Amino acid sequence: MILQVPRAVLAESDIVLRDGSTLQLRPVAKGDAALVRELLDGLSANSLATRFFSGAVDTERTAELLVQVDGDHAFGLLALHGSPARPAAHGFCVRTSPGRAEVAFTVADGFQGQGIASIILAQMAEAARGLGIEMFEATVLPENGSMLEVFAGSGYPVHTKSEPGLVTVQFPTEITADALKRFRDREERAAAAAVETILHPRAVAVIGASRQRGTIGGELFHNLLAAEFNGPVYPINSSAEVIQAVPSYPSILSVPGPVDLAVISVPSARVIDVARECAEKEVKALIVISAGFAESGERGRSRQVELQRLCNDSGMRMVGPNCMGAINTAAEVRMNATFAPEMPLPGTIGFLSQSGALGLAIIDTTRSLGLGLSSFVSVGNKADISGNDLLSYWGHDPRTKLIALYLESFGNPRKFAEIATRVSQHKPIVAVRSGRGRAGARAAASHTASLVATSDATVNALFRQTGVLRTETLSDMFDLLSLLATQPLPRGPRVGIITNAGGPAILCADACEGNSLEVMELSANTRSQLRRFLPPEASTGNPVDMIASASADDYRRAIEVLAADPSVDALIVIFIPPLVTRPEDVARAIREAAGSLPRPMPLVTVFMTTSGVPDELRSEEVQVPSFPFPENPARALAAALRLSQWRQRPHPREVEPTPLGDEIGVAARLSTWLRGGERWLSSAETLTLLDAYGVRTVATVVASDPEEAALKAQGLGPRLVLKAQGPTLLHKTELGAVRLGLSGPDEVRRAALEMEAALRASGHPVEGFVVQPQLDRGVELLVGAVRDRQFGTVVACGAGGTAVELLQDTSVRLAPVTHEDGREMLEELTTFPLLDGFRGAPLVDVTAAVDLIARLASLADTHPALAEIECNPVTVTTEGAFVVDARARIAVPAPDLPPGAKRISG
């Protein structure tokens, strides 16, 4: 069989330059080394240095490298002019990893600025698409402004990363939003296919299977047999010929047939050897139950890295290590590859647990609540298969209608956000995640970093923006799953409560209002219909208290009446058993009424009985969830309402955000500044960044000493503000580095001299001063962003000035942040009424404040080298929003090149 390897389709053509002249463009051939060397030898020292990051270039050897083309791994284009043909430009593309390649260009000095590189880029991008290359990358010196402009003006959605003396540019080879979506969809499908190998194997081997029940190896093998797995199950044990009445094999290599999935439960020291045998057997996937890896210290971490490398090299996918296994309840699979004592009920919930021990309790609890699982995966250390992979799988799995996550950490929150946003629009995701500690706050230098570090704000922001419903406890999670698995989402916040006892109904009403639900007045027509069959002593308000004598039929009729009221969005039905009415009769009546509701609405119950929930609430056609206490359904309904409201809003993560400023220019500046290492930027440097992204600032002059400050203060305004600048002056107010209300140059000079002396005496060097006009009217805000190691760019806004940490009035989002997000952030603040004309105050320009938040978020998110930036205060007036003070810190961003990627520049 001959494999047809795709080749880059690069045709010869004539191209017209900006000055009207033409060049011949053709593919690079291996015999072109002399032409390429001629091009390199003709470059100026500056052009040579900006192209190869060094003036000392062996042009002969480099030319030989730049013609090593095969039309697949590497290809290029050569631009020629004149007769005989002389070289004018060269473009080169080399694959760095699947779907990605690096590009570089060389243009002769006499042809620079004529658009040659842009034409070559477009043609190479078209050829790359035919080879399955979807992303280009280039590495450029910040001084190479002409090449940076080529990428900026290419029309592709460019992303930059600034490093000391380098700017890395990434962009797709196709401009359209559809192309970006296809790229993301392909990644998701690949992740889903990886999980498919785990949950849909045709044959399973248990390595470490045991004859002894009660051991992990014994229970794993027994559970696969007991679940009646639809395929062969091979026990692997070198010490036993027969295990639980099944012939055993000493090694997986001795198994006669193919094996898709190997479940490994052997001592950690043996796992690598066993996995190597699995690779030789061409096993597709592993579930590594064994502990003793990254969770157990340095030796375990090294062992896990070796296991990961082995799986990557062989193409095997892996769940674990240090996990309890996986379950698929599908009738055509019936796989229980865990050591849990019972198989869960089949159903529609996909459940991920990062804790193995907790996984046992989860399976037991779902059975007791009558909740069925489509599949269950305990991911353990997440060395390979992660929560993001499972989200991708469950998002496409037709059996899974609802997803539940117990998380202890995030591997790639940005990817989680992209996937969860898409999945949440058609399948609810419910999550419990342990909170962040406060220890990080002690090391935080800025107010923004402190506010983010002292709370669980990043996790809450991630879940809020992606539609994931977070619960504080496992109990609340199961309450919410019971609701979502059986009921539609509420269309609005209005709740009708039906009860036969006043006390529980009052508790329920209080809980509803405490969770932003409305217990509204019922219409006159609804109350009239209730009075037709309820006794005079009953209350027909809301809650509807039918008193203790209420019969099962009264419950049925009351549900029918309230469900017909268009002002009711959800129903909570409470029952406390009196002496005469039987719980099972009431449950049957409720179920029958639920089965004939006039429109989709959630109906939930509270049965406060010692005998538990009656079976009559469930049938094959209708299932009504029940809760033990009246507060529980209020919390569950409030969470379901949040998802309903979230689905009605646009979700910007579905599209690629466009930077709101000069991305290329800022990337070049940051790269240049990073040559000096991590540091706080000067006031002038920070203002330059803000200006590049259209963030308005108060008129500001920078001075090096008191005399210059006085000189530049002239004409700024009648009332002035003076601020000292220095590397240790982070919280200026506390250090006495701010003076307000100065009335002219003389007072500015005097204040600067006093400030400089006092600060230096207390050990704070002064490097200069800033003078600004004082804004006496407006509302002060803090707007800032921090680069979180796990979550990316975290954007915060809150009450500004000196009150920020006192009030703790903050709203947080993860980037990208749209204008809609910015408005929501402001409206969430307790102090928002100050922006909205509180007590007759003038309405300030909220739209300008929203725009400032979006622009600052874009600046911080587009440039990972910007470790943190804070604008405090931002003064919002009737005429706009203005940054009064700002500071920023730069740091070398973490590397993000894919494994195996190599640079061809330099």
Side-chain angles (χ1 to χ4, degrees):
M1 177 180 178
I2 300 175
L3 295 177
Q4 297 296 323
V5 179
R7 300 292 180 187
V9 180
L10 294 169
E12 292 189 11
S13 62
D14 291 329
I15 59 174
V16 180
L17 303 184
R18 288 172 184 163
D19 63 0
S21 61
T22 60
L23 296 177
Q24 180 195 10
L25 196 62
R26 66 167 175 81
V28 170
K30 289 187 177 181
D32 286 332
L35 284 170
V36 175
R37 182 180 181 184
E38 181 183 342
L39 173 65
L40 301 182
D41 285 337
L43 294 176
S44 66
N46 181 65
S47 295
L48 203 63
T50 55
R51 168 62 179 86
F52 296 101
F53 304 171
S54 170
V57 178
D58 184 338
T59 56
E60 181 179 6
R61 179 174 177 274
T62 301
E64 288 290 342
L65 291 174
L66 292 177
V67 297
Q68 298 305 309
V69 294
D70 59 9
D72 177 30
H73 176 75
F75 61 89
L77 283 168
L78 193 62
L80 303 170
H81 71 97
S83 180
R86 301 269 63 83
H90 173 270
F92 199 51
C93 175
V94 176
R95 287 185 189 265
T96 55
S97 62
R100 292 176 178 267
E102 187 165 1
V103 292
F105 307 92
T106 308
V107 181
D109 286 20
F111 287 91
Q112 291 178 12
Q114 295 297 314
I116 300 178
S118 297
I119 296 171
I120 294 176
L121 170 60
Q123 294 205 17
M124 290 205 304
E126 183 176 356
R129 290 197 297 273
L131 296 173
I133 296 171
E134 296 174 308
M135 294 296 288
F136 270 171
E137 180 177 275
T139 306
V140 186
L141 289 174
E143 297 88 353
N144 193 353
S146 58
M147 186 53 62
L148 289 172
E149 285 301 321
V150 168
F151 296 123
S154 65
Y156 297 95
V158 173
H159 293 272
T160 60
K161 177 181 176 182
S162 301
E163 300 172 85
L166 293 175
V167 177
T168 301
V169 182
Q170 289 185 336
F171 51 95
T173 57
E174 192 169 357
I175 297 177
T176 67
D178 286 343
L180 295 173
K181 184 177 184 300
R182 285 199 302 272
F183 182 72
R184 287 195 296 257
D185 288 347
R186 190 171 289 111
E187 287 185 321
E188 248 185 81
R189 286 196 298 272
V195 178
E196 185 88 9
T197 64
I198 304 288
L199 293 178
H200 291 262
R202 291 167 297 179
V204 178
V206 179
I207 304 176
S210 174
R211 291 176 294 186
Q212 185 176 351
R213 293 290 308 278
T215 63
I216 290 178
E219 293 305 305
L220 282 166
F221 187 65
H222 169 79
N223 286 348
L224 281 162
L225 296 179
E228 300 180 347
F229 172 68
N230 193 18
V233 181
Y234 302 106
I236 311 296
N237 189 317
S238 59
S239 304
E241 294 184 359
V242 177
I243 292 178
Q244 299 181 38
V246 179
S248 177
Y249 298 88
S251 161
I252 195 168
L253 294 175
S254 59
V255 173
V259 175
D260 290 335
L261 174 66
V263 185
I264 300 175
S265 179
V266 300
S268 58
R270 291 186 52 211
V271 169
I272 300 296
D273 291 337
V274 167
R276 193 170 286 115
E277 291 183 348
C278 290
E280 187 177 344
K281 179 67 176 175
E282 297 184 349
V283 173
K284 293 181 179 179
L286 309 177
I287 297 177
V288 181
I289 307 293
S290 310
F293 289 86
E295 83 285 354
S296 63
E298 191 57 43
R299 180 178 296 180
R301 279 191 288 273
S302 298
R303 188 180 293 126
Q304 182 165 310
V305 169
E306 186 178 356
L307 179 60
Q308 286 176 274
R309 186 179 299 114
L310 174 60
C311 289
N312 289 339
D313 292 344
S314 62
M316 291 187 298
R317 302 309 303 263
M318 173 177 61
V319 169
N322 185 33
C323 70
M324 67 167 283
I327 295 172
N328 186 349
T329 64
E332 68 274 15
V333 181
R334 297 193 305 274
M335 183 187 77
N336 183 1
T338 75
F339 48 87
E342 290 188 281
M343 182 81 164
L345 300 172
T348 60
I349 301 174
F351 213 124
L352 174 152
S353 176
Q354 200 168 339
S355 165
L358 195 59
L360 297 173
I362 287 169
I363 292 172
D364 183 61
T365 303
T366 56
R367 285 186 63 92
S368 68
L369 294 172
L371 294 172
L373 304 186
S374 61
S375 51
F376 169 89
V377 181
S378 162
V379 292
N381 291 3
K382 300 192 296 185
D384 179 24
I385 297 294
S386 68
N388 292 342
D389 298 320
L390 287 163
L391 272 183
S392 295
Y393 170 78
W394 284 323
H396 292 92
D397 178 29
R399 292 183 62 240
T400 301
K401 309 299 183 186
L402 174 60
I403 298 167
L405 311 173
Y406 172 77
L407 301 172
E408 294 175 351
S409 64
F410 287 95
N412 186 340
R414 190 80 175 226
K415 181 62 67 178
F416 176 91
E418 292 175 4
I419 300 169
T421 299
R422 290 194 287 276
V423 173
S424 289
Q425 294 179 57
H426 58 97
K427 296 185 181 182
I429 304 172
V430 182
V432 171
R433 194 258 183 180
S434 52
R436 288 167 57 115
R438 293 175 172 266
R442 291 191 289 271
S446 70
H447 292 295
T448 303
S450 175
L451 290 169
V452 169
T454 56
S455 68
D456 201 16
T458 49
V459 177
N460 283 333
L462 175 64
F463 288 160
R464 182 192 300 114
Q465 288 173 258
T466 57
V468 175
L469 302 177
R470 182 180 189 179
T471 62
E472 297 302 319
T473 65
L474 282 171
S475 175
D476 284 347
M477 168 184 264
F478 286 116
D479 284 346
L480 184 52
L481 291 176
S482 297
L483 170 67
L484 295 173
T486 61
Q487 303 296 306
L489 295 177
R491 296 182 177 181
R494 301 166 298 183
V495 178
I497 301 172
I498 300 171
T499 182
N500 66 346
I506 294 172
L507 291 174
C508 184
D510 288 344
C512 285
E513 291 179 348
N515 284 277
S516 301
L517 300 173
E518 298 176 19
V519 182
M520 70 298 161
E521 286 287 337
L522 298 175
S523 68
N525 180 55
T526 297
R527 300 183 70 172
S528 174
Q529 292 185 61
L530 290 170
R531 281 194 291 268
R532 291 176 185 175
F533 62 89
L534 293 179
E537 298 85 1
S539 170
T540 57
N542 193 13
V544 177
D545 184 358
M546 302 185 298
I547 69 174
S549 61
S551 66
D553 191 57
D554 289 335
Y555 271 94
R556 180 186 57 78
R557 295 176 69 182
I559 291 172
E560 291 173 350
V561 171
L562 265 69
D565 189 331
S567 67
V568 177
D569 298 311
L571 286 173
I572 300 176
V573 183
I574 302 172
F575 175 77
I576 294 182
L579 294 175
V580 290
T581 309
R582 299 194 316 158
E584 53 268 34
D585 293 336
V586 172
R588 188 179 300 109
I590 292 172
R591 189 196 71 217
E592 291 172 355
S596 59
L597 294 176
R599 55 196 167 92
M601 71 163 55
L603 188 157
V604 298
T605 65
V606 178
F607 271 75
M608 302 181 71
T609 68
T610 57
S611 58
V613 180
D615 292 336
E616 286 76 7
L617 276 177
R618 304 188 185 104
S619 69
E620 290 187 8
E621 297 80 18
V622 179
Q623 295 188 36
V624 181
S626 188
F627 304 93
F629 300 107
E631 299 89 350
N632 298 41
R635 291 194 294 269
L637 279 172
L641 177 63
R642 289 199 299 274
L643 177 58
S644 180
Q645 294 171 334
W646 178 87
R647 286 182 175 177
Q648 297 170 28
R649 297 195 295 267
H651 304 294
R653 289 182 184 274
E654 297 173 28
V655 297
E656 199 70 19
T658 301
L660 300 179
D662 179 10
E663 177 181 4
I664 296 295
V666 168
R669 290 188 184 94
L670 291 173
S671 176
T672 300
W673 295 338
L674 278 171
R675 284 173 169 154
E678 178 179 342
R679 66 181 175 90
W680 287 92
L681 298 181
S682 69
S683 177
E685 290 168 333
T686 303
L687 292 175
T688 299
L689 298 183
L690 294 174
D691 182 64
Y693 271 70
V695 177
R696 299 176 71 184
T697 59
V698 172
T700 301
V701 296
V702 179
S704 58
D705 54 47
E707 287 300 327
E708 188 179 4
L711 180 64
K712 290 186 174 181
Q714 298 183 42
L716 278 181
R719 291 167 57 80
L720 303 172
V721 178
L722 176 73
K723 303 171 188 176
Q725 303 294 303
T728 62
L729 302 179
L730 299 181
H731 298 287
K732 293 184 175 65
T733 301
E734 293 90 326
L735 295 173
V738 179
R739 293 285 182 90
L740 305 175
L742 303 177
S743 58
D746 292 339
E747 287 196 15
V748 168
R749 180 187 298 104
R750 188 180 310 114
L753 289 168
E754 293 171 357
M755 191 183 293
E756 186 176 45
L759 288 170
R760 287 180 174 167
S762 58
H764 296 284
V766 176
E767 295 180 347
F769 298 90
V770 163
V771 187
Q772 299 170 320
Q774 182 167 322
L775 300 179
D776 291 322
R777 292 187 178 182
V779 179
E780 291 188 338
L781 294 175
L782 172 147
V783 182
V786 176
R787 193 79 181 178
D788 186 277
R789 183 171 54 88
Q790 262 204 317
F791 290 86
T793 302
V794 184
V795 182
C797 77
T802 58
V804 55
E805 286 173 341
L806 174 65
L807 296 177
Q808 291 286 304
D809 183 23
T810 313
S811 181
V812 174
R813 292 291 187 277
L814 301 185
V817 174
T818 65
H819 286 77
E820 291 79 8
D821 292 325
R823 182 167 292 277
E824 284 184 7
M825 292 175 75
L826 291 176
E827 291 175 350
E828 287 171 7
L829 298 177
T830 305
T831 51
F832 176 72
L834 297 176
L835 296 166
D836 199 33
F838 182 68
R839 289 193 173 182
L843 294 171
V844 298
D845 193 345
V846 174
T847 300
V850 168
D851 185 64
L852 187 147
I853 292 171
R855 290 181 179 280
L856 190 78
S858 179
L859 168 63
D861 190 43
T862 304
H863 302 283
L866 199 54
E868 57 184 295
I869 183 167
E870 178 176 283
C871 302
N872 182 32
V874 172
T875 300
V876 188
T877 71
T878 57
E879 298 175 353
F882 305 89
V883 174
V884 176
D885 200 4
R887 53 185 172 164
R889 181 172 61 87
I890 58 172
V892 178
D896 59 1
L897 283 175
K902 298 178 181 179
R903 300 192 191 280
I904 62 170
S905 301

